[in-house]
């Protein structure tokens, strides 16, 4: 029974560690306080790395997730003279997960010198290689041409499109919970 409780606890800990998170959120600019914003549009896109194989699909889903969140807050997407312009900055980084070897790894790590003596030392070994995606949203007041809010998200990329779509939806749900504006 005790083992079953430990297994259940381990499962909860593992599943609660989401592969996405909100990385940065700024405060709303004082110049935006009390202003009326009703419309928005997606503006520029800045790529800080070479896009991956599913970039177009993922970008479409990112834009769709932003549209959903903005419309849920009462904003209307207006391509001509919007009140807010949302600029996207996107980068993908190659990451490496490592672990340090322990004495239990010694039989596999032993180095022989001169045929008689040997030595062992702890080393970092690669466990996994993966890609992390980063998206930064800059909200710009188009009348003043000034950024009024910024939010950034990050997450582990996957080639499984359904999983990736769910991660995008989840991370933008988290980000927009911190978004301080609703349409007036």
């Amino acid at each position: 029974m005790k083992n079953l409780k430990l297994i259940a606890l381990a499962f909860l800990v593992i599943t609660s560690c989401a592969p996405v998170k909100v990385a940065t959120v700024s405060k709303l600019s004082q110049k935006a306080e009390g202003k009326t914003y009703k419309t928005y549009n997606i503006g520029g896109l800045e790529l800080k790395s070479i896009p991956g194989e599913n970039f177009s699909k993922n970008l479409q889903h990112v834009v769709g997730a932003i549209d959903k969140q903005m419309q849920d807050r009462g904003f209307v997407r207006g391509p001509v003279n919007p009140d807010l312009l949302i600029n996207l900055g996107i980068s993908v980084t190659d990451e490496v997960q490592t672990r340090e070897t322990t004495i239990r790894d010694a039989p596999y790590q032993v180095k022989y010198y001169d045929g008689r003596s040997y030595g062992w030392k702890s080393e970092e070994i690669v466990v996994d290689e993966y890609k992390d995606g980063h998206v930064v949203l800059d909200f710009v007041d188009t009348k003043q041409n000034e950024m009024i809010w910024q939010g950034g998200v990050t997450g582990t990329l996957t080639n499984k499109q359904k999983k990736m779509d769910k991660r995008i939806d989840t991370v933008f749900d988290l980000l927009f919970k911190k978004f301080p504006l609703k349409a007036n």
Side-chain angles (χ1 to χ4, degrees):
M1 187 66 163
K2 188 176 183 179
N3 286 342
L4 185 59
K5 287 181 182 178
L6 287 174
I7 291 170
L9 179 63
F11 178 77
L12 285 174
V13 169
I14 290 169
T15 58
S16 68
C17 297
V20 294
K21 68 179 181 176
V22 174
T24 60
V25 174
S26 72
K27 289 184 178 179
L28 183 65
S29 169
Q30 289 180 345
K31 293 182 180 183
E33 292 178 13
K35 296 251 177 166
T36 301
Y37 299 106
K38 294 180 182 176
T39 60
Y40 76 97
N41 202 359
I42 308 294
L45 170 65
E46 182 181 351
L47 295 176
K48 303 229 178 189
S49 57
I50 298 170
E53 60 188 68
N54 294 331
F55 178 74
S56 294
K57 287 180 186 177
N58 292 337
L59 180 60
Q60 279 182 322
H61 202 86
V62 164
V63 170
I66 294 168
D67 282 338
K68 179 190 179 308
Q69 295 294 330
M70 291 297 285
Q71 291 164 10
D72 286 352
R73 284 156 182 75
F75 291 94
V76 176
R77 188 166 181 180
V80 180
N81 297 324
D83 299 323
L84 293 173
L85 195 60
I86 305 171
N87 293 320
L88 302 173
I90 298 176
S91 69
V92 176
T93 57
D94 293 319
E95 301 292 333
V96 177
Q97 180 182 5
T98 62
R99 74 170 179 85
E100 193 172 299
T101 58
T102 65
I103 193 68
R104 287 181 274 182
D105 298 313
Y108 308 107
Q109 301 287 320
V110 171
K111 307 254 192 268
Y112 290 95
Y113 304 98
D114 298 332
R116 291 176 286 177
S117 62
Y118 67 94
W120 176 85
K121 69 177 186 173
S122 180
E123 297 176 334
E124 289 287 317
I125 59 172
V126 174
V127 175
D128 192 17
E129 295 180 10
Y130 59 96
K131 294 187 180 292
D132 245 0
H134 314 273
V135 180
V136 176
L137 306 178
D138 294 335
F139 288 76
V140 177
D141 180 323
T142 57
K143 296 192 181 27
Q144 294 187 18
N145 194 28
E146 187 170 320
M147 185 173 70
I148 60 166
W149 191 79
Q150 183 181 64
V153 296
T154 185
T156 305
L157 303 182
T158 178
N159 289 329
K160 296 177 182 170
Q161 197 60 47
K162 285 185 180 182
K163 263 189 178 177
M164 193 66 219
D165 291 347
K166 184 172 177 148
R167 287 181 185 178
I168 290 169
D169 291 339
T170 300
V171 78
F172 283 104
D173 282 344
L174 294 171
L175 177 65
F176 275 88
K177 285 181 181 175
K178 299 174 186 266
F179 185 60
L181 296 174
K182 291 189 188 272
N184 301 344

